[in-house]
Amino acid sequence: MKKKTILTLIVILMSHLMVSAQWPMRSQGPWEKGAFETRQYRNLFVEMGYRPDAVEKKLKEVFDDVFRGPNKVYFEVGDTLGYISDIKNHDVRTEGMSYGMMIAVQMGEKDIFDRIWRWSKKYMQHQDGPREGYFAWSCKTDGTRNSDGSASDGELYYITALIFASNLWGNDTGINYKAEAQRILNCSMAKDGTNGQRPLLHPEYHLITFTPDDMGMRFTDPSYHIPAFYEVWAKWADDGRADYWYKAAQLSREFLHHATDSVTGLNPDMCQYDGSIMQNPWMRRGGSSNFRYDSWRVPMNIALDYEWSCADKEWQRQYGERIQNFLYSQGIDSFVDQYRVDGTLPEGNEILQAGGFRKLRHSIGLVATSATASVMCAHEKKREFVKALWEAKHEPFEDGYFDAYYDGLLRLFAFMHLSGHYRIIFPNAMREMKTGALSATIDTGAGGKILSLKYDGAEVISQSPMPEAFGSTFWTSPQKEWNWPPVQEFDKYPYEIEEDGTDKLVISSGVAEKLGLRVKKQFCTNDRDHSLVVTYSIINAGKQTRKVAPWEITRVPNEGVIFFDSPVEGITPAGLMPFKASEGIAWYETDTANENRKVNADGKGWLAYLNKGLLLVKKFEDLSPTQPAPDEAEIQVYVNRGKTYIELESQGAYTTLAPGEQLTWTVKWYLVPFKGTAPSKQLLKTVRKMVKK
C-alpha cells in the first residue's frame, strides 16, 4: 500500500475518532452546582447507555399510562374540568391533584394543568371562612368533600406548580397563576390559631406541619420536606417573604439530617420537628415511626433538592449512597416497601394496609424513588437501581393488588427525574425577533442558543430532542483548548440580558472558569433585506494573554443540500464525504453512514443549505488559509451518524487577546424560499446576490 494512501486512512480514522466524541454520553459523577445556577439536568438513562430516542419514548409511555392509558388515573369532566383519582380508595386527593399539576407544567400540558386547577378550586379549595385558601384533602369524584381538613403537602405542590405555570405561560391566558399562588401563601400566613387553623409552616420551628391545624401542627412528615420548593417561592412568589422562605429551605435541609437514620438512611412516616421518633405510644404501635408509603418520597425529594440547589451536596451524596446500600443489601429485586428505620421488618398492625391488603411488597413506587437517588451517587450500584426502574413492569401482583395512582405517579416522577425532565421553570427566557417573514427564537436561559429560525412558519434548524443536536450555538476555537464537552458557560448556562428590544438583543455569558473568557452575543434584525445579523464578541476577562477564534455551530436536519465556494480537492479529509464540483462550487447532497464525519474547507465567506424549499445562507468574514486556529478551518461540516442531524460550522480569525481585550465577529443569516433545484446556476446566482449585499 502506498504511503500516501496509508496517511489518508490515518487522517480519516483520526477524524472519525475526533468527531465521535461529539455524541456519546459518558457517565458523569455527581454535580457540584445546582440547576438554579446552571439550568442543566442530567439524563442518567442516556449516561448509562440507553438511546435518547428510547428514553423519550419510554417517558411518553409512562406519562400516557397515568393520563391516557387503560389504567389512567386522570379523568376529564365536561369542557373545562379534570381530576386525578386514587382509584383503589375511590377518592380525589390534594396529593394527586397537585402532583398532576406539577407533572402537567413540567410536560407543557396546559390543558391538563388548567382542568385540574379548576376542579381543585371549585370543589376542594375553601373560598371563605377559617380555612380560606386551604384545600379539603379528600373528595369524592363528584366533588363532595370527604373531609374539610388540609394536608400540608398538597398546598406545597399547588403553590410551586402555580408559580411554574406563571413563569411558563404568563398570567393572562384565563388564569392568573401567580395571584392564585400568592392567595394560598397569604391566607396561610394570616392564620393565627383562630378556629384551630395554623400556617403551613410551624411558627416556632419554621418547618412544614403534617396538617395546618392545632392537631397536625404537633408533628411533621419527612416526605413533605422539599427545600428547593421554598427557594422557588423566594425567587418568584413575589409575596414579600423571600428571606422567610430561604430560611425555611435551610432549616428543612438541616431537619432531614436528623430524620434519616445514620446507618440505613430510612426515615419515619411521621416524626417530631427535631427528627426524633414519635412519642405517642398509640402512634408508635401503629407503625407511624416506620419507613412506609409516605416515606418512599424522601429519596426523590432529596434528589430534587440536590439537582436544583446543590446547597447540601456533601450530606446528600452520603445519604443517597446510604439508602441505596441498605436497599441493595435487602436484594435489588426483593427489598420490601416497609421497614422499621433500623432496617428490621415490621410485624402485625405495624404494617400499613393498602387497598384492603396488609402485606409487604416489592413496590414499584419505592423502586422508582430509590432509583432517583442515583443522581446523588458515585457508587456503581446506582446503575442497578436505574436499570431496575427501566425494566420494572407496572402491573397487578399475583393476588390482584394494583396501585395505578400512587405507584404510577411516583414512577412517572422518577422517569422525569432520571431523563432530565423535572426542571426548574424559570420566567420565560425565550426572545423572539422578526423581520418580514423571518423569525428567530433565542433562549437566553440556556446558552443563548438560536433555537428556531423560520420563514413564514417553516423551520430550518434541527429540533432534535437529543442532547447537542439542536439549535445554533457558539464555541471558542480551537477545540483542543477545552476538548469535550463544550464550555458550559458559553453553551448551556444562562446569559445575562444587557439590552432587550424588538429589533436588538444583547446578552452576555459568565466568565468561563477554565478559559478566563466571556462571550457577548448581539442579535439584530435588518428590515432592509430581512436578515438576522449576529455579532459575537469574545472578551479576555482573565489575567493571561489568550489566543482564540470565534466558532458558530448551527444544527440542521440531515436532508437537503449543503454548498459553499471551495474546490472539492481542497476539502479534507479527502473522500470522507461525497462532495461534488458543479458551477465552480462544492456541493454535498446529504447521506447517512454508521460513523460520524467531519470535513474542513477554506471557503469564500459564505455557507449555504437548501432543504424543502428553504434556502439558508450564512455570510461571514472570508479568511486566508493561515487565519483559522490550528487544526480548524473557515468552514466545517459535521455529519452525525445515521439520519439525525448535521452541523454547519464557520470560524473567524485566530486572534491574540491581552487581558481586557476583545474580538468581534459577525455572521449574517438569510432565510428565503427557493423552488429551484440544486446544484444549479439559478441557485448559485441567488446566493451570490445575497452575499454581495
Side-chain angles (χ1 to χ4, degrees):
M1 186 179 289
K2 295 182 179 179
K3 290 183 179 180
K4 183 177 180 180
T5 305
I6 295 174
L7 180 60
T8 300
L9 289 174
I10 291 173
V11 169
I12 293 173
L13 178 60
M14 290 179 67
S15 175
H16 289 182
L17 292 173
M18 177 185 73
V19 299
S20 66
Q22 295 202 21
W23 162 237
M25 295 289 288
R26 297 182 290 274
S27 182
Q28 303 175 30
W31 282 8
E32 296 293 325
K33 297 179 180 179
F36 278 119
E37 181 177 354
T38 69
R39 304 198 191 190
Q40 298 303 300
Y41 304 86
R42 293 174 67 187
N43 188 328
L44 260 72
F45 291 121
V46 172
E47 287 183 33
M48 295 180 185
Y50 296 95
R51 288 179 53 87
D53 56 345
V55 175
E56 295 298 316
K57 180 181 178 182
K58 185 84 165 183
L59 176 61
K60 183 180 184 303
E61 290 173 353
V62 176
F63 177 86
D64 286 344
D65 284 347
V66 172
F67 285 90
R68 299 188 174 107
N71 294 315
K72 69 179 182 179
V73 297
Y74 168 71
F75 303 92
E76 295 186 351
V77 181
D79 295 332
T80 60
L81 303 178
Y83 64 84
I84 286 180
S85 175
D86 182 348
I87 303 293
K88 66 182 184 302
N89 288 307
H90 314 291
D91 69 346
V92 178
R93 304 182 173 200
T94 53
E95 167 195 73
M97 294 290 276
S98 59
Y99 282 9
M101 284 170 55
M102 178 61 77
I103 292 165
V105 73
Q106 292 286 333
M107 303 296 283
E109 296 278 357
K110 188 176 186 299
D111 182 63
I112 292 175
F113 185 99
D114 289 353
R115 284 175 176 271
I116 294 175
W117 171 247
R118 292 190 194 103
W119 202 101
S120 297
K121 185 169 183 176
K122 180 175 181 178
Y123 294 116
M124 308 184 93
Q125 190 178 36
H126 297 279
Q127 300 303 325
D128 50 34
R131 292 188 170 94
E132 181 183 353
Y134 285 164
F135 298 77
W137 78 273
S138 173
C139 291
K140 294 181 173 62
T141 57
D142 65 1
T144 305
R145 291 175 183 167
N146 293 318
S147 169
D148 283 335
S150 305
S152 299
D153 63 326
E155 277 72 1
L156 182 79
Y157 270 86
Y158 275 128
I159 294 164
T160 312
L162 285 164
I163 292 171
F164 280 166
S166 171
N167 287 352
L168 181 61
W169 296 312
N171 299 298
D172 56 359
T173 62
I175 299 173
N176 189 330
Y177 304 111
K178 180 170 286 189
E180 298 287 4
Q182 290 172 335
R183 183 187 179 209
I184 303 169
L185 288 170
N186 291 336
C187 286
S188 171
M189 297 300 290
K191 300 190 190 309
D192 58 4
T194 303
N195 297 112
Q197 300 308 299
R198 300 287 182 172
L200 293 171
L201 271 60
H202 193 290
E204 178 183 353
Y205 302 117
H206 219 82
L207 298 170
I208 195 166
T209 59
F210 179 67
T211 58
D213 51 47
D214 283 347
M215 188 280 290
M217 74 174 293
R218 292 181 295 173
F219 54 93
T220 188
D221 182 327
S223 75
Y224 290 8
H225 288 257
I226 311 179
F229 278 12
Y230 300 132
E231 291 201 31
V232 171
W233 301 2
K235 292 177 184 296
W236 301 303
D238 295 331
D239 67 340
R241 304 183 184 95
D243 290 344
Y244 183 88
W245 302 129
Y246 280 126
K247 182 180 178 182
Q250 175 190 343
L251 293 176
S252 189
R253 293 181 183 112
E254 293 174 3
F255 162 82
L256 288 166
H257 289 214
H258 304 296
T260 53
D261 189 84
S262 61
V263 177
T264 64
L266 302 177
N267 59 273
D269 189 18
M270 307 171 192
C271 68
Q272 310 285 354
Y273 286 101
D274 63 0
S276 62
I277 297 300
M278 299 290 292
Q279 298 304 308
N280 185 306
W282 177 81
M283 296 187 78
R284 294 184 67 176
R285 285 195 300 272
S288 294
S289 295
N290 292 344
F291 179 90
R292 56 190 193 182
Y293 298 107
D294 273 16
S295 309
W296 302 352
R297 299 179 291 207
V298 171
M300 180 176 70
N301 294 344
I302 295 176
L304 181 143
D305 188 51
Y306 175 78
E307 290 179 280
W308 288 10
S309 178
C310 234
D312 196 18
K313 58 190 176 186
E314 298 300 332
W315 179 84
Q316 289 168 338
R317 291 170 185 165
Q318 295 167 10
Y319 162 81
E321 296 196 0
R322 184 161 63 244
I323 194 167
Q324 283 197 346
N325 283 336
F326 169 74
L327 294 173
Y328 194 86
S329 74
Q330 305 296 299
I332 188 70
D333 297 317
S334 58
F335 59 76
V336 294
D337 53 15
Q338 299 185 50
Y339 290 95
R340 300 186 183 110
V341 293
D342 65 1
T344 57
L345 294 176
E347 299 176 351
N349 289 338
E350 283 184 87
I351 300 173
L352 184 62
Q353 68 173 352
F357 294 87
R358 192 182 300 276
K359 188 174 183 179
L360 300 178
R361 302 180 184 276
H362 183 64
S363 294
I364 195 171
L366 182 55
V367 171
T369 61
S370 62
T372 64
S374 298
V375 301
M376 301 179 282
C377 299
H379 64 195
E380 285 301 303
K381 295 187 185 76
K382 68 178 184 289
R383 293 178 172 274
E384 295 189 54
F385 281 89
V386 174
K387 182 173 182 285
L389 172 62
W390 183 272
E391 296 179 351
K393 297 184 183 302
H394 190 200
E395 57 189 14
F397 286 85
E398 291 183 0
D399 59 9
Y401 175 79
F402 179 65
D403 184 5
Y405 166 75
Y406 193 59
D407 280 340
L409 287 167
L410 295 185
R411 176 178 178 238
L412 176 51
F413 270 134
F415 270 92
M416 289 163 57
H417 270 289
L418 295 173
S419 64
H421 283 282
Y422 198 163
R423 302 184 172 193
I424 303 163
I425 300 178
F426 290 79
N428 196 342
M430 302 298 180
R431 295 295 184 272
E432 187 174 35
M433 306 186 73
K434 294 183 177 180
T435 175
L438 183 145
S439 64
T441 302
I442 296 104
D443 186 357
T444 67
K449 291 183 177 70
I450 302 174
L451 292 186
S452 172
L453 188 72
K454 296 179 180 178
Y455 183 89
D456 198 20
E459 180 66 68
V460 72
I461 290 180
S462 170
Q463 303 296 303
S464 169
M466 296 190 305
E468 321 297 350
F470 59 88
S472 182
T473 189
F474 179 83
W475 301 335
T476 57
S477 180
Q479 184 171 342
K480 66 182 180 182
E481 291 288 322
W482 45 266
N483 197 14
W484 192 262
V487 177
Q488 297 193 89
E489 289 87 351
F490 304 155
D491 186 68
K492 291 184 171 61
Y493 285 7
Y495 276 58
E496 180 182 353
I497 298 175
E498 295 186 0
E499 187 173 346
D500 190 2
T502 57
D503 58 357
K504 185 178 181 181
L505 173 68
V506 181
I507 59 177
S508 292
S509 76
V511 176
E513 184 176 349
K514 186 175 182 179
L515 300 176
L517 301 172
R518 182 167 63 89
V519 167
K520 180 181 289 189
K521 301 181 182 181
Q522 176 180 288
F523 304 90
C524 294
T525 52
N526 186 329
D527 289 337
R528 291 190 303 275
D529 58 10
H530 300 308
S531 62
L532 177 70
V533 182
V534 188
T535 299
Y536 300 98
S537 301
I538 301 176
I539 300 99
N540 186 352
K543 297 180 180 180
Q544 297 180 342
T545 297
R546 300 298 301 254
K547 290 199 73 174
V548 66
W551 185 3
E552 185 183 72
I553 302 92
T554 303
R555 284 103 181 206
V556 296
N558 185 0
E559 52 192 19
V561 175
I562 297 165
F563 57 104
F564 47 85
D565 194 342
S566 174
V568 170
E569 58 271 20
I571 299 173
T572 59
L576 187 60
M577 290 162 54
F579 275 90
K580 297 179 180 178
S582 179
E583 309 296 337
I585 301 297
W587 305 79
Y588 164 57
E589 186 170 356
T590 57
D591 66 337
T592 61
N594 292 327
E595 70 278 350
N596 302 326
R597 295 165 291 161
K598 184 172 184 177
V599 296
N600 293 341
D602 175 28
K604 298 296 182 184
W606 61 269
L607 173 60
Y609 169 70
L610 177 67
N611 182 36
K612 295 181 179 178
L614 280 183
L615 173 62
L616 171 66
V617 179
K618 299 170 70 174
K619 176 185 175 182
F620 38 83
E621 179 187 3
D622 181 20
L623 304 184
S624 70
T626 61
Q627 285 184 287
D631 303 317
E632 305 287 352
E634 176 186 325
I635 290 175
Q636 298 174 314
V637 177
Y638 166 81
V639 181
N640 196 64
R641 60 175 172 261
K643 193 172 179 61
T644 51
Y645 69 97
I646 289 177
E647 291 180 348
L648 308 178
E649 307 178 16
S650 51
Q651 296 197 21
Y654 194 42
T655 304
T656 301
L657 297 180
E661 290 186 337
Q662 70 176 36
L663 65 81
T664 59
W665 179 65
T666 298
V667 181
K668 194 168 188 179
W669 296 48
Y670 297 93
L671 184 64
V672 297
F674 183 82
K675 295 183 179 180
T677 60
S680 71
K681 290 182 178 179
Q682 180 190 5
L683 176 57
L684 188 56
K685 181 180 179 181
T686 300
V687 171
R688 285 183 165 154
K689 184 177 180 181
M690 290 180 184
V691 298
K692 286 181 179 179
K693 293 180 182 179

